[in-house]
Amino acid sequence: MDAWVLWLIAAGILLVFEMMTLTFYLLWLSLGAAVAAIVALVVPDAYILQVVAGCVVAIVLTIFTKPLSRKFRSSSKGFEDAGTELIGRQGVVVEPIEEGQFGIVKIGGDTWSATSARSLKKDELVRVLKRSSTILEVERWEDFT
């Protein structure tokens, strides 16, 4: 089998792995392997030149696109957790909350497990102080206002 075919297969495999990881590093290696395939097609017996060309392309792309990818990551807010918008919102106690125990609080149309430093009765208004995983920490609404 010709060397250019092997380089092309390597480029394809790296591209498939890049699609699964979305890191961009494997993309640059894939493009380096594609360049090595082109060099192997033009100069079939220069194996060292194929490897060097592929490595140079991969390294140059990695170095020069790192600031660009960092800029894209910092400029986009990305995924924001829906639970962070709950902090400060008002809710109502559905199941009473005892000190050290969990209860249920309804905020908007969603119900959440909640805890509080004070006992809270059913139908009391509460404000969300913070969220940790799926449990909210709340306080009586009157304590807030």
Side-chain angles (χ1 to χ4, degrees):
M1 191 177 296
D2 292 331
W4 70 269
V5 174
L6 295 175
W7 284 114
L8 207 54
I9 290 171
I13 290 171
L14 287 167
L15 186 62
V16 168
F17 280 126
E18 170 58 37
M19 288 181 199
M20 289 189 275
T21 62
L22 299 173
T23 60
F24 280 117
Y25 293 114
L26 294 177
L27 177 64
W28 307 147
L29 292 175
S30 175
L31 290 174
V35 167
I38 293 170
V39 171
L41 193 60
V42 175
V43 188
D45 295 329
Y47 299 113
I48 300 294
L49 182 62
Q50 296 167 20
V51 172
V52 169
C55 288
V56 166
V57 168
I59 290 170
V60 167
L61 286 173
T62 301
I63 290 171
F64 286 111
T65 58
K66 183 104 172 140
L68 183 63
S69 64
R70 187 177 302 131
K71 180 181 175 183
F72 281 135
R73 287 183 184 155
S74 66
S75 69
S76 65
K77 292 185 181 180
F79 175 76
E80 288 188 18
D81 189 8
T84 58
E85 68 186 26
L86 294 172
I87 298 172
R89 289 191 55 193
Q90 184 182 43
V92 63
V93 178
V94 176
E95 287 186 19
I97 303 172
E98 299 296 328
E99 288 183 52
Q101 303 275 333
F102 296 111
I104 305 269
V105 173
K106 186 171 185 176
I107 300 168
D110 298 325
T111 55
W112 293 81
S113 294
T115 185
S116 176
R118 301 171 67 187
S119 294
L120 300 170
K121 298 176 185 162
K122 185 177 179 182
D123 296 327
E124 279 193 80
L125 293 178
V126 293
R127 177 180 79 102
V128 178
L129 295 175
K130 68 179 182 178
R131 175 182 172 235
S132 59
S133 69
T134 60
I135 299 169
L136 302 178
E137 185 176 326
V138 297
E139 70 178 356
R140 186 175 284 126
W141 186 261
E142 292 85 35
D143 295 344
F144 169 66
T145 55

